Amino acid sequence: MARNKYPEVTINRILDTSMKLFMSKGYEHTTIQDIIDELGDLSKGAIYHHFKSKEEIMDAVNKRLAEQGIADIKTVAHDTGISGLDKLCKMLMFSIQSAQHEALDQTVPPFLRNPQLLALHMRDTMGSAADLLTGVIEEGIRDGSIHTAQPRRLAQMILLFFNVWFNPWMYSWTPNELKDIIFFARNVFEEIGVPIFTEEVLQSINELHSLSQKQK
């Protein structure tokens, strides 16, 4: 068998196709044969050369999604010209706007039909994403813009609020329910001295939910 000179191209094709099928059919209802049929020109052996199982493909799909999701956020984290609190607000805006673009492109993962993707999403929420936010919060503590004794717990709480509670693809809140949730969350963060719910952030959350309703 001739050696594949561009294995990264093959890997990306497998991941692109697998993600498309996982989103349209659901992880449980997608088989390796489905992926082969969709690709058209790769054998089962070629896929197993790069991935040992469907579970390993799913893990790679999720890791790539996570890396793409925090690429812009990392640029904000490295900005030395703004305070830690301003960085935090800007990172949240990037995250919400990214979700808006995905909604417009209809590429948002249907978590409710993919419990495996949801589980991996939650794992990364408490892992690499929390590490990034923790570093920014610690900067805010040093510059005086953020006041907390537990930066990592604060980072995790922010991620849970935005990635889970506010996530319109996990919960279909009515406008009144969403209004109550945002009001509660805003008060919580203001009381602990972390006023991240700016008018811009609030407006973007509402716009994201409006976009999600049009998609359902």
Side-chain angles (χ1 to χ4, degrees), residues 119-167:
L120 292 172
H121 173 72
M122 292 303 301
R123 182 196 66 188
D124 289 340
T125 292
M126 294 295 103
S128 57
D131 292 340
L132 188 61
L133 258 66
T134 299
V136 170
I137 292 168
E138 288 172 342
E139 284 185 37
I141 294 171
R142 289 192 294 270
D143 65 35
S145 62
I146 296 175
H147 304 280
T148 181
Q150 299 190 61
R152 186 164 186 83
R153 297 296 167 252
L154 175 59
Q156 291 172 333
M157 185 170 76
I158 291 171
L159 288 166
L160 284 170
F161 270 60
F162 281 85
N163 288 1
V164 180
W165 206 9
F166 296 156
N167 191 326

Side-chain angles (χ1 to χ4, degrees), residues 30-134:
T30 299
T31 66
I32 292 291
Q33 189 60 49
D34 289 332
I35 297 170
I36 293 169
D37 292 343
E38 186 73 18
L39 284 164
D41 60 351
L42 284 183
S43 67
K44 184 176 289 188
I47 290 180
Y48 281 119
H49 175 74
H50 297 288
F51 300 99
K52 296 178 182 178
S53 64
K54 187 174 75 167
E55 290 80 6
E56 193 170 290
I57 294 175
M58 183 63 162
D59 193 47
V61 165
N62 184 70
K63 285 180 179 177
R64 189 169 69 165
L65 285 171
E67 288 170 2
Q68 291 170 349
I70 65 174
D72 287 333
I73 293 176
K74 282 183 177 179
T75 64
V76 178
H78 296 147
D79 186 347
T80 59
I82 57 178
S83 70
L85 179 60
D86 287 339
K87 283 186 184 183
L88 198 54
C89 292
K90 200 169 181 180
M91 290 166 78
L92 292 175
M93 281 301 303
F94 266 124
S95 179
I96 298 168
Q97 288 168 351
S98 175
Q100 289 174 349
H101 293 152
E102 289 171 344
L104 289 169
D105 293 339
Q106 297 189 343
T107 58
V108 178
F111 289 111
L112 296 181
R113 287 189 295 151
N114 287 281
Q116 292 80 8
L117 183 58
L118 174 58
L120 292 172
H121 173 72
M122 292 303 301
R123 182 196 66 188
D124 289 340
T125 292
M126 294 295 103
S128 57
D131 292 340
L132 188 61
L133 258 66
T134 299

Side-chain angles (χ1 to χ4, degrees), residues 19-24 65 97-110 113 169 208 210-216:
M19 181 170 68
K20 174 185 173 183
L21 290 172
F22 291 157
M23 289 182 181
S24 61
L65 285 171
Q97 288 168 351
S98 175
Q100 289 174 349
H101 293 152
E102 289 171 344
L104 289 169
D105 293 339
Q106 297 189 343
T107 58
V108 178
R113 287 189 295 151
W169 287 274
L208 175 60
S210 294
L211 286 171
S212 73
Q213 291 305 312
K214 293 176 183 177
Q215 210 185 64
K216 292 176 182 178

